[in-house]
Amino acid sequence: MSDRNRRTSAEPAWPAAIHDVLKSRGVRQVAYVPDAGLRQLIELCHADRSLVTVPLTSEEQGIGLAAGAWLGGQRAVLLMQSSGVGNCVNAFTLGSNCGFPLLLVVTMRGEWGEFNPWQIPMGQAVEPVLHASGVRSFRLEHPEDAAATVDAAAGLAFDGYAMAAVLVSQKMLGAKSFAGAR
Amino acid sequence: MSAPLDRRAVVAALLERRETLLVVAGLGSPAWDCAAAGDHPLTFPLWGAMGSASMIGMGLALAQPERRVLVITGDGEMLMGLGSLATIGAQRPRNLALVVLDNERYGETGMQETHTARGVDLAAVAQACGFPVARRVSAPVEIAPMRGAVLEASGPLFFQVKVGAGASAPALPPRDGGYLKQRFREALLGSDALR
């Protein structure tokens, strides 16, 4: 892990660990729709001039982008919040039908300690929807497992020509709260 | 007002002597039009994933900055992925061109009107999203300059080509997605395609 990726001690180390794995796995295009849980990882990717970062207006755009990247000989990753999984469903046919690799990093809402009821339906549907769409999922519950989990998913995607998602649990991220505003 | 352009003639003109051009064809009639112009390993035709064509083109354009990438799609497919115009406009890939064959109809589902038949101006949307070139093409004399721009101009480029709504003879590309993907990669990447 390079020193320039190290942040203040108050910041968790797992985003830099994931960034390092993306680099070691040869990822060149990083597409994302922002989530608070992805803030550091997105910043690390933007600061890395060897990566092309692609902000999206909706998550399914990243499925097409990743397919096009692979056609052109590059690897992509798609970062999103769990609510974006539902936007992607029809586009997953690119992986199922054509064997395009797909690597997703999904930060979860609607599970551990969720305060916003509107996040719960999609959050609870993430795994069934992914599995019904042919996407394998790996849960990431502990920060120290971040590198190994993303590496395993990347292996499945890029070596196994499969669709694989890392689901970063809300327990690990810390549930969002607006309690102070009440 | 001249007669509407013939979609097959427009696509044939765009793909004639295509050389190193990389092509993504949106599902339905645009994919058939590309097949009618001659099936080619460096054309990736879609049979589904509606709304994805322009983003597949952008991923390809970012991966192959030295090549020109042309997405040929329809008005219905572009309307489904309209947000992609904002994403492409923000990213500004210089080697990407989108050509939308606009017949104002959903051709595969019964020729129902699309939103372009009700005044939605796709070229204006692309222009507002920051495409440095975003034009409507409706006359035969405009086709050759469009082809020239697709091959050389600094993009992203957007052309909304007004075509007639008449049916064309079926011309189907292969539909095995794994084959379409792998033949494209082999033609573009050679032995690296199997990595």
Side-chain angles (χ1 to χ4, degrees), chain A residues 17-112:
Chain A
I18 292 179
H19 172 255
D20 285 349
V21 171
L22 297 178
K23 302 274 286 182
S24 71
R25 283 288 184 173
V27 169
R28 297 289 305 282
Q29 298 186 29
V30 179
Y32 67 91
V33 174
D35 180 52
L38 293 166
R39 180 183 58 79
Q40 274 181 271
L41 179 55
I42 290 168
E43 289 173 1
L44 288 168
C45 291
H46 269 286
D48 186 338
R49 295 178 63 86
S50 71
L51 300 175
V52 175
T53 49
V54 183
L56 310 171
T57 60
S58 187
E59 290 82 358
E60 75 278 11
Q61 295 167 6
I63 313 294
L65 186 90
W70 186 257
L71 281 180
Q74 285 194 348
R75 298 176 174 194
V77 66
L78 172 55
L79 318 176
M80 70 176 86
Q81 186 193 91
S82 51
S83 48
V85 169
N87 291 347
C88 296
V89 174
N90 188 51
F92 286 140
T93 191
L94 289 167
S96 307
N97 259 304
C98 308
F100 282 111
L102 182 65
L103 177 61
L104 308 177
V105 176
V106 180
T107 42
M108 293 300 298
R109 294 287 307 269
E111 44 171 41
W112 184 269

Side-chain angles (χ1 to χ4, degrees), chain B residues 7 25-36 43 45-47 72-73 171-173:
Chain B
R7 57 188 308 142
L27 83 175
S29 299
W32 319 155
D33 297 334
C34 290
T43 295
L46 288 157
W47 287 80
I72 299 175
T73 193
L172 304 184

